[in-house]
Amino acid sequence: MKKILCVNGMTCDHCASTIKKSVESLVGISNIEVEIEKNQVTLEIDETTVKIKDVVEKIRAVGFQVRM
């Protein structure tokens, strides 16, 4: 299932890379796109394997604010 998260605090490619790496570490996540200018993270999630709250927690753990 495709999900779009609003992520505040991204200012550069390093921020985007940090978010992408943290989310990629979760099983059940694919096709991650981080768009700094839109403050968005778009991803495909297999919700039978991982929950969206786990993704949100991963992004918050690396220092960013997330809204769904």
Side-chain angles (χ1 to χ4, degrees), residues 5-65:
L5 302 173
C6 296
V7 179
N8 293 323
M10 296 186 293
T11 58
C12 63
D13 289 337
H14 179 71
C15 295
S17 176
T18 299
I19 291 168
K20 188 170 183 174
K21 285 179 185 176
S22 71
V23 173
E24 282 177 331
S25 69
L26 294 169
V27 175
I29 301 295
S30 60
N31 299 325
I32 304 165
E33 292 182 38
V34 181
E35 298 180 74
I36 298 166
E37 52 284 332
K38 289 184 177 182
N39 293 322
Q40 280 186 346
V41 174
T42 305
L43 51 90
E44 292 286 331
I45 182 170
D46 176 357
E47 293 187 282
T48 62
T49 306
V50 65
K51 303 297 179 206
I52 195 67
K53 70 176 186 72
D54 298 322
V55 176
V56 170
E57 288 174 9
K58 276 284 193 183
I59 296 172
R60 287 181 177 156
V62 293
F64 299 91
Q65 298 174 347

